[in-house]
């Protein structure tokens, strides 16, 4: 698996995932909030399958 998420993208995904899971756990948004697992995992791993399908890469280009 090739990393296709930059640092900012990964950070935002992890935060959004934790917020959604937290809201679901407290009963604020209902069970659909557990969908926050998806951005949490993709942010932790650094690879988004949807980005791969669409050819998107937010990871910075390494300098030589």
């Amino acid at each position: 698996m090739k990393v296709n998420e930059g640092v900012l993208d990964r950070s935002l995904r992890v935060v959004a995932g934790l917020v959604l899971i937290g809201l679901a756990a407290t009963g604020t948004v209902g069970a659909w909030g557990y969908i926050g697992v998806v951005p949490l995992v993709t942010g932790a791993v650094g690879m988004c399958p949807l980005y791969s399908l669409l050819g998107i890469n937010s990871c910075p280009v390494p300098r030589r």
Side-chain angles (χ1 to χ4, degrees), residues 5 10 12-14 16-18 20 35-44:
E5 296 175 1
R10 291 178 76 174
L12 291 175
R13 285 172 184 262
V14 169
L18 289 174
L20 280 172
I35 196 79
V37 169
V38 174
L40 181 65
V41 169
T42 59

Side-chain angles (χ1 to χ4, degrees), residues 25-62:
T26 60
T28 305
V29 294
W32 69 268
Y34 288 110
I35 196 79
V37 169
V38 174
L40 181 65
V41 169
T42 59
V45 174
M47 191 271 186
C48 178
L50 185 60
Y51 274 17
S52 295
L53 287 174
L54 298 175
I56 300 171
N57 187 353
S58 65
C59 202
V61 177

